[in-house]
């Protein structure tokens, strides 16, 4: 369940090709355009920065944050992508929120931190940090200091009684 959600975030934050062909998808390729808006956008050398009410949309998938920074290689591939401030990803079926999300192409990971909440329908998990390994699909939920991971899951029996 959480693997699908984290893959959706990974699909947005990761692309092994030039930025124009990046994908914001849940489990399959999408040819839909990527629409990025913000109050300001700045481009210099290999850095692209959008700030203020940033919104990235591709089909039903939406990522919002206060700031989005993309560091590109000379070939145009993503080196790192960082979403900062009130980060929220949603695809209409599931959502992830936190304060910071970082894709690191060298490490092949996506890390979301600071009061992370993952929801899928009525199911909810919370943690201080989640780490997603792009190549293996492994997801690690890590608590904040002094806290524990929490998951709220409903069985089919619970849903039938509602």
């Amino acid at each position: 369940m959480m693997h699908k959600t984290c893959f959706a975030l990974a699909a947005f934050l990761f692309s092994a090709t030039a930025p124009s062909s990046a994908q914001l998808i849940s489990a399959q390729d999408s040819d839909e355009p990527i629409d990025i808006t913000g109050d300001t956008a700045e481009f210099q050398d290999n850095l692209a920065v959008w700030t203020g009410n940033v919104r990235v949309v591709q089909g039903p998938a939406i990522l919002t944050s206060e700031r989005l920074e993309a560091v590109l290689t000379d070939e145009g591939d993503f080196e790192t992508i960082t979403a900062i401030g009130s980060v929220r990803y949603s695809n209409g079926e599931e959502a992830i929120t936190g304060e910071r999300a970082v894709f690191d192409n060298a490490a092949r990971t996506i890390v979301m931190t600071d009061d992370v909440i993952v929801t899928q329908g009525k199911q909810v998990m919370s943690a201080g940090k989640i780490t997603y390994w792009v190549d293996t699909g492994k997801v690690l939920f890590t608590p904040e200091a002094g806290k524990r991971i929490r998951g709220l899951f409903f069985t089919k029996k619970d849903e039938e009684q509602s």
Side-chain angles (χ1 to χ4, degrees), residues 37-52:
T37 59
D39 294 340
T40 64
E42 182 178 343
F43 305 91
Q44 183 174 3
D45 300 324
N46 290 354
L47 178 64
V49 179
W50 283 266
T51 55

Side-chain angles (χ1 to χ4, degrees), residues 105-162:
N105 192 26
R108 308 288 294 150
T109 59
I110 298 168
V111 177
M112 186 175 269
T113 57
D114 302 320
D115 297 320
V116 178
I117 298 174
V118 179
T119 59
Q120 185 177 48
K122 292 172 36 177
Q123 324 301 338
V124 180
M125 283 196 71
S126 62
K129 174 173 99 172
I130 61 171
T131 304
Y132 174 77
W133 283 265
V134 174
D135 295 328
T136 66
K138 177 182 173 181
V139 179
L140 174 64
F141 286 78
T142 308
E144 292 181 34
K147 294 187 178 182
R148 299 175 62 175
I149 304 302
R150 181 166 188 201
L152 180 61
F153 304 98
F154 292 87
T155 64
K156 287 185 181 184
K157 181 180 176 185
D158 292 333
E159 290 175 2
E160 291 170 0
Q161 294 176 355
S162 302

Side-chain angles (χ1 to χ4, degrees), residues 56-74:
V56 182
V57 178
Q58 185 179 30
I62 300 170
L63 177 85
T64 60
S65 65
E66 285 305 309
R67 181 178 180 94
L68 185 73
E69 302 173 358
V71 177
L72 307 172
T73 66
D74 290 336

